[in-house]
Amino acid sequence: MYKRVHCFVLMVTTFKRFLIASGVVLAAFSSPALAEEKDKGFYATFGGGFDDIQKTGWGSTQSGTTYGGDSEVDPGFGGDVGLGYDFGKFRVEATYVVGGGILGDCEENVADTTCETGGSISTKSYMASGYYDIEIPDSKYTPYLGGGIGTTTVSWDEIKVGSTKYSVNDSDNIFTWQLKAGVSYAARDNVDVFAEGVYHKYSDFHSDTGVDGANYDFKNFSSLGARAGFRYHF
């Protein structure tokens, strides 16, 4: 419990520092006059913050015996980098997204045995997304909504079920979708600073292990996160 609280406090502190740094960048780019309306065209996007993977269900079969339960994950870093095209009120993006966290408490509730996890879990995704900008007349702030689809590779360090300890191999590319809501601030005619919330949902998947006769399944895998960053319009 202490470990989880300590990790959460550390992540919140880190995110606060990131927001302060973003504010400094915003102030540096800002000018007394209102920024001109941004031109349509290509832009680069960079964002960072944290991901909080929700309690994840798992299942395992070892030599014909079925096990299953839940595992908690402490929050970890989450970030996005990519390219987009702005059509005016509508934008599209292609991004590379990373996330993850530290493996926490593990429960086994099918065969009534012990379960332990160690190390970390990480996600690496390629996403294609679309966004709708909600323009506010005579304002430098622009709320937006978005969503996207893509593929993700998941890495999970290790798990011990009963007396058997094994590592879980990286997943194949699994289907992923995301939802976002945020607000942009036009710091200059070619720079937007933004803050947003994001939800990722990953498909259930099966993974092999390094132990003969043992496999592993992920279930109900999702995450909530927050990002702050900027877009640079070319």
Side-chain angles (χ1 to χ4, degrees):
M1 180 66 181
Y2 174 78
K3 175 184 174 183
R4 183 173 177 83
V5 172
H6 176 72
C7 181
F8 181 75
V9 171
L10 179 62
M11 289 307 305
V12 170
T13 302
T14 301
F15 189 58
K16 284 182 178 179
R17 290 175 180 174
F18 189 91
L19 288 176
I20 293 172
S22 298
V24 173
V25 173
L26 186 154
F29 279 116
S30 298
S31 61
L34 287 176
E36 298 177 3
E37 182 179 355
K38 65 180 183 295
D39 294 330
K40 299 177 182 179
F42 289 98
Y43 64 87
T45 181
F46 305 88
F50 70 89
D51 275 344
D52 186 4
I53 295 177
Q54 305 303 290
K55 180 179 288 188
T56 301
W58 62 271
S60 177
T61 301
Q62 299 176 17
S63 302
T65 302
T66 299
Y67 303 90
D70 299 305
S71 181
E72 295 184 353
V73 182
D74 296 328
F77 173 79
D80 307 58
V81 59
L83 293 173
Y85 189 88
D86 194 337
F87 293 92
K89 291 185 178 180
F90 183 74
R91 295 180 284 111
V92 293
E93 286 182 0
T95 52
Y96 175 66
V97 185
V98 297
I102 304 300
L103 293 170
D105 295 335
C106 180
E107 296 179 356
E108 198 288 323
N109 49 34
V110 174
D112 193 25
T113 188
T114 59
C115 172
E116 298 177 12
T117 56
S120 63
I121 183 173
S122 64
T123 60
K124 298 177 182 178
S125 308
Y126 294 94
M127 304 295 297
S129 307
Y131 300 87
Y132 179 73
D133 290 326
I134 305 170
E135 295 184 357
I136 301 176
D138 301 321
S139 175
K140 299 173 72 173
Y141 293 94
T142 304
Y144 61 88
L145 300 172
I149 59 174
T151 62
T152 299
T153 299
V154 182
S155 299
W156 178 292
D157 279 355
E158 62 185 40
I159 184 170
K160 182 179 180 180
V161 180
S163 60
T164 303
K165 181 178 180 180
Y166 53 84
S167 297
V168 180
N169 295 335
D170 291 355
S171 73
D172 294 327
N173 290 326
I174 60 173
F175 178 75
T176 306
W177 58 270
Q178 69 176 6
L179 295 174
K180 285 188 177 184
V183 60
S184 302
Y185 177 83
R188 291 181 68 90
D189 58 352
N190 64 338
V191 176
D192 297 332
V193 177
F194 67 85
E196 63 186 17
V198 57
Y199 172 78
H200 287 112
K201 177 63 177 178
Y202 308 89
S203 295
D204 296 349
F205 65 93
H206 169 84
S207 178
D208 295 326
T209 71
V211 176
D212 291 339
N215 60 31
Y216 195 83
D217 300 296
F218 282 87
K219 304 174 183 179
N220 304 320
F221 188 27
S222 65
S223 68
L224 292 170
R227 305 278 192 272
F230 68 94
R231 305 184 198 96
Y232 178 83
H233 296 260
F234 300 110

